[in-house]
Amino acid sequence: MSRSPLSLPRLAWRYLWARPMLTALNLMLLSLGLAAIGFVVLVSEQLEQGLRRDLGGIDLVVGAKGSPMQILLAGVFHLDQSTGNIPLATVSQLKAQPLVAQAVPISLGDSFRGHRIVGTTADYLALYQLELAQGRRWTGPMQAVLGAEAARQSGLKPGDRFHGTHGLAGGGEEHEQPYEVTGVLAPTGGVVDRLVLTDLASVWEAHAAHGHAVKSAHDSKGRGHDDRASDRDHASDRAEDHDHAADHEHEHEHEHTGGHADAALEVSMVLVRYRSPLAAVMLPRWVNAQAGLQASVPALETARLLSMVGVGVDVLRSFGGVLLLAAALSVLVALLHAVRERQGDLAMLRMLGATPARVAGLIALEALMLASLATLLALGLAHGFAAVLGAVLAQQQSVRISGAWVSAWEALVPALALGLALIAAAWPAWRGYRLDVTELLQTPR
């Protein structure tokens, strides 16, 4: 039985690996360049969508005088320290504004195993449209609802108890009074998954039981950051008690704080939603005109944040472009050298009946096979790098990045690989197409 003729793909595959070291080098250069592009696509898309999701419809963040970027990072993304405290009266003033649809106070300063404890009201759950996967919402002081990630990492469930620690970093002083877990939130994929939510009064009671005094915003100036965070927690809890008493929702919390003057009550920040587009023009100016208050507009600060991150993205993208250019030139040189080396083989193919187009197709197919291998490796590397970055950021309780994320823009990777391969193979394929069989056979070897 006669052997079947060697097919064009099989011949191209053998030619590709005839020089394995050179092929491996070209494959590595092409794969790393494509992986850098794919990594940028995966991370930048997840970062942008994560920022939009964590904003949760928040139009304005009001905090103490300081950096608007820091206020946004602390109050919305929970990646920084608070700039200070603001009076409880600010919450009432904002709610009284006809341009404000919702004003949600929050109090920061404590943590549990790296997860931030956020004192707030039930409006916070409505703001982010949060749902409970287990248990129920808090109904009194020293009760807490855990985010999905916080519950998973701590192993806590409804009915368990834990102690918060003073400060946002690990190693802080542990509070004596424990929190009781009443519920666990359904996963959202956002920053809320990493938080511990409780009533504003809970944070105050934890500090009161630990012996911290209740002080005003004026008294908090000139001290260390942890002490300012402690005072914010006291004030935040009393602020919530005041609001709950006004709404007749939690009368028992009002009993804890009724002996303090309203002027001493403080919260860390207020998350605001606009009622009208006109508020975007007027409300930030009004806030900044008030003594001790600073407005942070998420739309503007997020654009600034992405522009700063974009510098690193541009560098990585440029690095990938340089690698791709080097890979394309290397493939071009390798194919030109291969055509010169294989002139005798190509002439023999022509004598056996192969058309010039078939010879040129053989060279192009070799480049396309290299590009296909590089695409598979690049996509694997890009997702692997994203998974490693996600694991590192998860250890730091930072932005959530997943290696399992799939982006429609990843289609650029194979398109770019095949395009570069065809461009690099164009000249060698043309030279193969133009080979003169008669001249080759007459040339002494």
Side-chain angles (χ1 to χ4, degrees):
M1 179 181 293
S2 60
R3 296 180 62 185
S4 59
L6 193 62
S7 65
L8 198 65
R10 290 182 61 190
L11 184 58
W13 181 259
R14 290 188 179 183
Y15 275 153
L16 178 63
W17 293 103
R19 303 182 68 179
M21 293 298 294
L22 183 59
T23 299
L25 175 62
N26 292 333
L27 185 61
M28 181 186 69
L29 286 174
L30 194 56
S31 298
L32 288 177
L34 292 170
I37 301 298
F39 177 75
V40 167
V41 168
L42 289 173
V43 173
S44 59
E45 185 172 289
Q46 290 187 72
L47 182 60
E48 290 179 11
Q49 291 204 10
L51 292 180
R52 287 197 297 268
R53 178 183 57 241
D54 290 342
L55 285 176
I58 298 170
D59 298 311
L60 184 70
V61 184
V62 179
K65 283 294 185 185
S67 166
M69 178 68 74
Q70 183 178 351
I71 291 174
L72 179 70
L73 292 177
V76 176
F77 304 122
H78 298 277
L79 297 175
D80 206 341
Q81 306 283 353
S82 170
T83 56
N85 301 329
I86 60 176
L88 171 64
T90 304
V91 182
S92 301
Q93 291 172 358
L94 287 170
K95 289 183 176 180
Q97 290 282 340
L99 297 175
V100 172
Q102 190 175 25
V104 182
I106 62 172
S107 181
L108 308 174
D110 285 353
S111 62
F112 168 65
R113 298 182 185 176
H115 299 282
R116 299 193 177 197
I117 298 176
V118 179
T120 185
T121 68
D123 290 337
Y124 191 90
L125 303 178
L127 180 64
Y128 282 95
Q129 300 179 352
L130 303 177
E131 297 181 356
L132 288 166
Q134 302 177 42
R136 56 175 176 80
R137 185 179 69 81
W138 67 84
T139 57
M142 306 313 299
Q143 296 179 347
V145 172
L146 305 184
E149 189 68 17
R152 185 187 67 81
Q153 292 186 4
S154 64
L156 296 177
K157 58 185 183 300
D160 292 341
R161 294 177 179 271
F162 67 92
H163 292 266
T165 56
H166 187 60
L168 301 179
E173 230 181 328
E174 188 176 273
H175 294 299
E176 296 178 0
Q177 193 167 357
Y179 288 88
E180 179 188 358
V181 179
T182 61
V184 176
L185 295 172
T188 65
V191 65
V192 178
D193 291 347
R194 307 190 299 270
L195 301 180
V196 177
L197 303 180
T198 184
D199 196 274
L200 286 165
S202 303
V203 188
W204 178 78
E205 287 198 11
H207 283 264
H210 205 63
H212 290 282
V214 178
K215 297 187 179 183
S216 68
H218 178 75
D219 295 334
S220 67
K221 295 180 180 179
R223 292 171 297 142
H225 181 83
D226 288 342
D227 291 336
R228 291 198 304 272
S230 172
D231 293 340
R232 285 196 300 275
D233 297 330
H234 296 322
S236 300
D237 296 318
R238 295 194 306 279
E240 177 60 14
D241 295 337
H242 178 83
D243 291 338
H244 284 184
D247 296 333
H248 304 285
E249 291 180 359
H250 297 286
E251 294 181 0
H252 63 283
E253 294 173 11
H254 181 68
E255 293 173 1
H256 290 299
T257 60
H260 300 290
D262 287 352
L265 300 179
E266 297 174 337
V267 292
S268 297
M269 298 174 191
V270 185
L271 311 179
V272 178
R273 285 180 59 246
Y274 295 152
R275 188 184 304 277
S276 166
L278 184 61
V281 179
M282 301 182 62
L283 201 57
R285 294 181 180 178
W286 177 85
V287 170
N288 290 331
Q290 309 304 308
L293 298 184
Q294 177 70 53
S296 175
V297 182
L300 298 179
E301 300 306 322
T302 301
R304 285 184 54 210
L305 180 62
L306 290 176
S307 67
M308 290 187 290
V309 174
V311 175
V313 169
D314 290 341
V315 170
L316 187 56
R317 188 183 291 114
S318 301
F319 174 70
V322 170
L323 287 179
L324 289 178
L325 180 60
L329 291 175
S330 180
V331 171
L332 171 63
V333 172
L335 289 177
L336 284 174
H337 186 69
V339 170
R340 187 179 297 110
E341 266 191 346
R342 301 170 191 161
Q343 284 183 345
D345 294 346
L346 298 178
M348 186 64 67
L349 286 175
R350 291 290 306 280
M351 290 182 61
L352 293 176
T355 63
R358 190 171 179 84
V359 173
L362 176 65
I363 299 171
L365 186 59
E366 187 176 342
L368 291 176
M369 285 183 171
L370 180 66
S372 299
L373 288 175
T375 297
L376 295 177
L377 285 175
L379 291 175
L381 286 173
H383 284 272
F385 292 155
V388 171
L389 177 62
V392 172
L393 293 177
Q395 291 293 327
Q396 301 174 356
Q397 301 295 331
S398 187
V399 182
R400 185 169 185 175
I401 301 294
S402 172
W405 183 273
V406 178
S407 170
W409 289 102
E410 287 183 270
L412 288 175
V413 174
L416 190 58
L418 297 179
L420 282 175
L422 290 176
I423 292 173
W427 188 12
W430 174 251
R431 292 193 60 178
Y433 182 87
R434 298 286 293 175
L435 281 177
D436 190 334
V437 178
T438 304
E439 182 181 347
L440 286 174
L441 293 178
Q442 290 176 353
T443 302
R445 302 184 63 180

